[in-house]
Amino acid sequence: MAQRLDPAARDAAVNRVNLITAGVVVLGLAGTVGLGITIASMVPVKPTTEYVQPAAVEAPAVEPDQSPAQAQAPGQAQLPAQTKPQTKPKAQGGVTPKPKAAPKPTKQAPVTTSGGS
Amino acid sequence: MSTGVRFPAIGTTAHLLVTAGDALPRAEEMLRSFIADLDLACSRFRADSALAELNRTGTADDPLLLAALRIALQAASDTDGLVDPTLGSYMVSLGYDRTFAEVAPRSPRPVFAAEPPRQAWRRIKISDNSVTVPRNVRIDLGATAKAWAADTASAWIAAETGAGVLVNLGGDIAVAGPAPEEGWSVRVTADHQSDEGGQVVSVESGGLATSSVTVRSWQRGDRHLHHLLDPATGQPTSRIWRYATVSAASCVAANTASTAAMVLGELAPDWLAARGLPARLVSTAGAVTTVAEWPLS
């Protein structure tokens, strides 16, 4: 049989229940936030590789060794998309190493030729 | 001031330059010796080569062939298979089944190639002293072996003689030792035997390589074929570029990149720029595109 409490005891009981509920909620929130911070601090940040479009990609020009018949007239040129890169290149492992210094322009007569063979 | 010698070798031309004239005889002897060893190890056209044995039996243990194969597999890995050493059977199917000098320039008989074994290079097993390739896979080291030989020979000769050295094997150029004051002036053009056109640049270190569709080309049926194959199809690459020249830290890196550029076609400038590789690409229409720090004409 249920025992009827006097109003003061009933209010005290309600306050205790509210206090305990609030405490559980606050502790739960604090634990969740703390756990999140802990996990975040344990995961290393991986820098994303951003492809930067090279400013030095030059506009195409007709190669000096082309005869007029071989070179297309302006407006007819069907250039590949080399001047306006459209697709981000896929980052790959093992990078082909750059030279220590890029080739330089020269007025010297060539001593040899690099070409197809 | 440099002095040099030029001689036919491995189906193309070898050109050796040194900054000290008295070093030339020894340098030439070393280069000829190295090329002879390379040919015996890596030639696709000699029945007695280690590569011919590998293509016949699926296994080989020649140290020089293993070294060249490691370089080829590194090139394949670096380019995610754009430069693939396992396309030998496709080259044969397309008619390039003997030294290029012996390949008929044209024939009315058409050629067919089966679907390529994609990424077969990933299944090559190479250990310290032997290599095993999957069945029905034929190796062709044409893309990287010459460039690697130029790197190796130039470094060896420079170390032995103390001179500045340039080794040019069919247009694949490696330099080592102290360069001439103005650098090595090199013409880049479609054909390594040409003395005109293109652009002349100065190189001080590393390597320079050019891949071209104009030199090793032939006709079967109504198809115009060339020796740069697309690993995705086993067929000659699209003729987007007439030739591509790349400068890199070594000749094999430059050759790997120039070959990849020809396979990539329109995507090549992006791919090269992302790697910071100075390059000059000439389209079939004659338009020139330069990448990274390649100098303007």
Side-chain angles (χ1 to χ4, degrees):
Chain A
M1 188 171 190
Q3 184 180 358
R4 179 173 289 274
L5 295 175
D6 67 74
R10 186 190 62 200
D11 289 347
V14 168
N15 286 340
R16 277 199 298 276
V17 168
N18 287 341
L19 187 64
I20 290 167
T21 304
V24 168
V25 168
V26 168
L27 286 173
L29 283 172
T32 304
V33 171
L35 188 62
I37 292 171
T38 305
I39 291 171
S41 66
M42 289 169 66
V43 177
V45 177
K46 290 182 181 173
T48 55
T49 304
E50 192 81 21
Y51 170 62
V52 180
Q53 182 176 324
V57 175
E58 298 295 331
V62 175
E63 195 185 24
D65 56 341
Q66 290 300 293
S67 68
Q70 287 174 299
Q72 290 182 323
Q76 286 184 319
Q78 296 176 342
L79 299 177
Q82 67 268 46
T83 53
K84 277 207 172 265
Q86 295 173 338
T87 308
K88 265 188 180 180
K90 183 179 159 192
Q92 292 163 344
V95 176
T96 312
K98 295 195 298 185
K100 281 182 190 166
K104 297 184 176 73
T106 182
K107 300 288 185 193
Q108 298 280 313
V111 293
T112 194
T113 300
S114 176
S117 66
Chain B
M1 189 67 183
S2 61
T3 182
V5 62
R6 197 187 302 257
F7 55 91
I10 50 175
T12 184
T13 310
H15 191 189
L16 167 67
L17 293 163
V18 292
T19 53
D22 58 352
L24 186 60
R26 172 73 179 129
E28 180 183 353
E29 182 188 348
M30 294 170 74
L31 181 60
R32 285 182 182 273
S33 165
F34 184 75
I35 287 176
D37 291 345
L38 179 82
D39 195 48
L40 188 56
C42 300
S43 172
R44 189 161 64 91
F45 308 115
R46 289 180 58 158
D48 61 343
S49 76
L51 178 58
E53 181 195 357
L54 176 64
N55 283 336
R56 271 195 311 271
T57 65
T59 184
D61 59 4
D62 182 272
L64 200 53
L65 175 62
L66 293 186
L69 259 172
R70 284 193 188 92
I71 294 294
L73 293 176
Q74 184 64 52
S77 174
D78 284 2
T79 59
D80 203 17
L82 293 171
V83 181
D84 188 337
T86 61
L87 299 177
S89 59
Y90 298 88
M91 208 72 87
V92 171
S93 300
L94 292 168
Y96 190 1
D97 55 355
R98 58 203 71 196
T99 65
F100 192 72
E102 297 170 328
V103 172
R106 57 189 61 81
S107 165
R109 187 182 300 174
V111 290
F112 303 96
E115 184 71 12
R118 294 178 186 225
Q119 308 277 313
W121 59 272
R122 294 186 189 277
R123 291 184 281 128
I124 294 175
K125 292 184 169 48
I126 190 162
S127 68
D128 287 345
N129 50 19
S130 71
V131 58
T132 306
V133 299
R135 286 182 62 189
N136 301 323
V137 167
R138 293 169 70 99
I139 301 297
D140 174 20
L141 297 172
T144 53
K146 271 199 291 91
W148 173 68
D151 282 329
T152 307
S154 62
W156 181 38
I157 294 168
E160 286 282 320
T161 64
V165 178
L166 181 150
V167 172
N168 180 352
L169 297 179
D172 289 348
I173 294 175
V175 302
E181 195 174 334
E182 299 280 337
W184 299 98
S185 55
V186 178
R187 182 187 304 282
V188 296
T189 188
D191 184 345
H192 79 286
Q193 293 184 307
S194 174
D195 289 330
E196 56 187 20
Q199 182 184 4
V200 180
V201 295
S202 170
V203 178
E204 293 181 355
S205 64
L208 193 68
T210 298
S211 294
S212 166
V213 299
T214 63
V215 180
R216 291 189 192 228
S217 60
W218 63 100
Q219 188 173 347
R220 293 291 179 272
D222 58 357
R223 296 182 63 197
H224 294 272
L225 306 166
H226 61 80
H227 74 300
L228 296 175
L229 303 189
D230 183 344
T233 63
Q235 300 294 314
T237 61
S238 301
R239 290 176 185 264
I240 304 288
W241 308 109
R242 192 194 317 158
Y243 65 96
T245 304
V246 178
S247 165
S250 66
C251 186
V252 76
N255 181 285
T256 298
S258 66
T259 304
M262 299 299 282
V263 173
L264 282 164
E266 296 177 354
L267 301 178
D270 279 356
W271 190 90
L272 293 163
R275 287 156 179 74
L277 292 170
R280 180 178 188 269
L281 301 99
V282 179
S283 75
T284 49
V288 177
T289 296
T290 57
V291 177
E293 299 169 63
W294 188 277
L296 297 175
S297 299

